[in-house]
C-alpha cells in the first residue's frame, strides 16, 4: 500500500494504482534538512530523487571564488533534481534548505531500472519529470 504522503504529492497525484505501487516500491524513506543544510552537492552522485513535501530548497550555483547565487527556490509539491535520470548521474547544481524541509526520497537506481523495464510506467514518469522541467524553465 503506497504511503499517503506519496499518493498526495503533486508528482504522484492521479497516478494509476499500478503505477503508484511501482513508484511506492522505489521509496527509501523521508529526508529532512535543517535551515542552511546542504541537500545536494554539484558533482556528487545523483542517487536519489526527492519529492519535496514541506519547506523551501534553494538551487544554487557557486562561481569559483564567489558566494553562491540562488537560481531558483523550490517548495513543497516540487520535484528536486533531474540529474538522477540523465547520465552520468551527477548533480549539476548545489541545493540548500532555506527553511526546515522534508521530502519523500526515492532510490534513483531502482526508479531508473523500473522505468527501463516498464515502458508504460516510464512514459508516465518521464512526462511528469518533463512537466516539472518546463514549469521550472518558465
Amino acid at each position: 500500500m503506497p504511503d499517503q504522503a506519496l499518493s498526495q504529492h503533486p508528482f504522484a497525484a492521479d497516478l494509476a494504482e499500478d503505477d503508484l505501487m511501482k513508484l511506492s516500491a522505489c521509496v527509501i524513506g523521508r529526508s529532512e534538512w535543517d535551515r542552511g543544510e546542504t541537500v545536494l552537492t554539484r558533482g556528487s552522485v545523483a542517487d536519489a530523487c526527492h519529492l519535496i513535501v514541506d519547506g523551501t530548497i534553494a538551487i544554487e550555483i557557486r562561481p569559483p571564488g564567489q558566494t553562491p547565487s540562488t537560481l531558483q527556490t523550490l517548495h513543497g509539491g516540487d520535484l528536486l533534481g533531474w540529474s538522477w535520470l540523465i547520465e552520468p548521474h551527477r548533480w549539476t547544481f548545489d541545493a540548500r534548505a532555506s527553511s526546515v524541509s522534508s521530502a519523500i526520497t526515492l532510490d534513483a537506481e531502482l526508479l531508473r531500472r523500473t522505468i527501463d523495464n516498464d515502458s508504460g510506467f516510464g512514459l508516465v514518469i518521464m512526462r511528469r519529470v518533463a512537466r516539472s522541467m518546463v514549469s521550472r524553465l518558465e
Side-chain angles (χ1 to χ4, degrees):
M1 183 73 157
D3 179 274
Q4 185 176 8
L6 177 64
S7 62
Q8 292 179 347
H9 193 279
F11 186 83
D14 73 10
L15 274 176
E17 187 67 26
D18 187 47
D19 289 337
L20 185 58
M21 294 300 288
K22 290 172 188 166
L23 188 63
S24 181
C26 297
V27 172
I28 54 176
R30 184 105 170 211
S31 297
E32 297 185 0
W33 303 280
D34 290 327
R35 184 177 188 271
E37 191 173 349
T38 298
V39 177
L40 308 174
T41 303
R42 182 179 186 268
S44 64
V45 175
D47 58 358
C49 171
H50 300 288
L51 304 177
I52 302 171
V53 175
D54 297 305
T56 54
I57 306 288
I59 305 297
E60 299 176 336
I61 189 165
R62 184 184 304 259
Q66 297 181 24
T67 58
S69 297
T70 299
L71 296 174
Q72 189 167 35
T73 302
L74 305 179
H75 306 278
D78 288 332
L79 167 68
L80 171 60
W82 311 317
S83 299
W84 60 270
L85 186 58
I86 302 160
E87 291 182 15
H89 309 299
R90 300 256 176 211
W91 297 119
T92 54
F93 296 102
D94 294 327
R96 183 176 317 281
S98 301
S99 67
V100 172
S101 302
S102 67
I104 299 163
T105 301
L106 302 149
D107 179 312
E109 183 179 344
L110 179 56
L111 184 53
R112 285 192 304 268
R113 210 171 30 236
T114 306
I115 288 168
D116 289 345
N117 291 331
D118 183 330
S119 60
F121 174 74
L123 180 60
V124 168
I125 296 302
M126 294 303 289
R127 283 182 174 157
R128 288 168 190 254
V129 171
R131 187 174 24 199
S132 175
M133 291 173 153
V134 168
S135 166
R136 236 172 275 154
L137 291 173
E138 290 176 344

